[in-house]
Amino acid sequence: MNQMTSRRAVVRVPSGPRSIETVTVPVAEPGPAEIRVKIAGAAINPVDLGVAGGVFHKLGLVHQPDYTGLGWDFAGTVDAAGPGAGLRVGTRVAGFIDGFDRDHGSHAEHLITPAAHVAVVPDGMDLVEAAVVPLNATAAAQLVDLLGEPSGTARRLLVTGAAGVVGAYVAVLARDRGWQVTGMARAADEPFVRGLGVDFAADAGQGWDAVADAGALQENALEAVRDGGRFVGVQPASRLPEERGITIEVLFARPDGALLASLLGRAAAGELPTRVAAVTPLDEAADAYQAMAKGGVRGRIVLVP
Ligand SMILES: NC(=O)c1ccc[n+]([C@@H]2O[C@H](COP(=O)([O-])OP(=O)(O)OC[C@H]3O[C@@H](n4cnc5c(N)ncnc54)[C@H](OP(=O)(O)O)[C@@H]3O)[C@@H](O)[C@H]2O)c1
């Protein structure tokens, strides 16, 4: 019997989008509490550009002997389930895998992942659309948890990068938690940001009770926080030092299937945006990464095997 094979996008010596290649490997079987997903769509995120560009190799976080697998986000269908996984073959799921030191990723035909890290995609929600939600909605919800509750009159929150995928989710989720949210974005993004139901600013300004730095502006965003305020960054490798009594937190998104289930439900209900900028075949991953690297993409490019 021929063994089933699967294609995946990888980098051997990471030096940007042009170093991406597709390799074919035997399909493995899921272990206990794991599922194998036949991927229908996998978004390209900024972190993927970092992996392909060797950022995390240079930080000493990758030790793969042959190649490094690309891709975090995915949506697809369970095509094999290990003992105790609790998900039937054929179930539509979405999720993300984290970590840098791996020879596999979601930019592939198949992926094996813990069943607890995925959520069932709501009926009627397209899998390509679902593929843009997991990492960034989870990250946004976990960022808003780090931000904590607004208190008394201290509820003025600036979200930088509010037209970005993480920023838009943070804006909506923080508003729901009682923050008085202003989204900072490029001038052309004002209609989108206001459409989220929050205020708009073209500049960071100063004196905010809290800043959620989804635009990764770092020091420039920290400057906008009032003395004794709160700041949550998105770059764990470049945590900012404390200053002026500001509470500083940094996000490191972790898979959480139960949380993702509620976020997918909100996305399916139209309460969270699902912006698919383009759909590109997996074999053209290098071109898609190149397009993403140019900047200005709103939403996500989704790779389809
Ligand atoms: N730590 C974690 O666990 C975690 C998880 C997810 C994401 N992240 C990080 O979070 C960040 C955002 O991710 P994302 O997926 O939301 O990226 P994205 O969709 O590219 O959004 C970033 C947004 O910020 C905007 N921006 C950048 N500089 C700006 C400026 N000076 N003024 C106004 N807008 C500005 C960008 O606009 P332009 O395109 O016009 O520049 C873009 O709209 C990335 O750094 C990502 O790596 C971290």
Side-chain angles (χ1 to χ4, degrees), residues 46 161 164-166 184 186 214 217 234-236 251-253 296 298 300:
V165 182
V166 175
M184 178 203 170
R186 310 281 181 199
L217 307 186
V234 295
Q235 309 242 290
L251 170 72
F252 200 112
R298 293 296 178 262
R300 285 289 99 101

Side-chain angles (χ1 to χ4, degrees), residues 72-76 93-97 106 111 117-119 121 130-131 134-135 255 260 264:
W72 288 45
D73 267 329
F74 62 88
V93 295
F96 73 92
I97 52 167
S106 67
L111 178 73
H117 288 186
V118 306
V121 174
L135 171 62
L260 178 57
L264 281 169

Side-chain angles (χ1 to χ4, degrees), residues 177-268:
R177 288 273 280 265
W179 288 95
Q180 185 189 319
V181 178
T182 297
M184 178 203 170
R186 310 281 181 199
D189 292 315
E190 180 170 350
F192 171 78
V193 172
R194 290 198 187 279
L196 299 170
V198 303
D199 290 335
F200 170 81
D203 298 301
Q206 284 195 320
W208 299 94
D209 296 312
V211 170
D213 188 23
L217 307 186
Q218 294 283 84
E219 287 83 355
N220 290 340
L222 183 60
E223 273 176 23
V225 184
R226 67 163 168 80
D227 293 359
R230 301 184 220 177
F231 175 89
V232 185
V234 295
Q235 309 242 290
S238 320
R239 191 191 176 98
L240 294 173
E242 307 269 333
E243 63 172 53
R244 298 185 287 119
I246 296 168
T247 306
I248 296 184
E249 302 280 0
V250 64
L251 170 72
F252 200 112
R254 300 284 186 200
D256 179 339
L259 172 62
L260 178 57
S262 73
L263 294 164
L264 281 169
R266 295 200 60 182

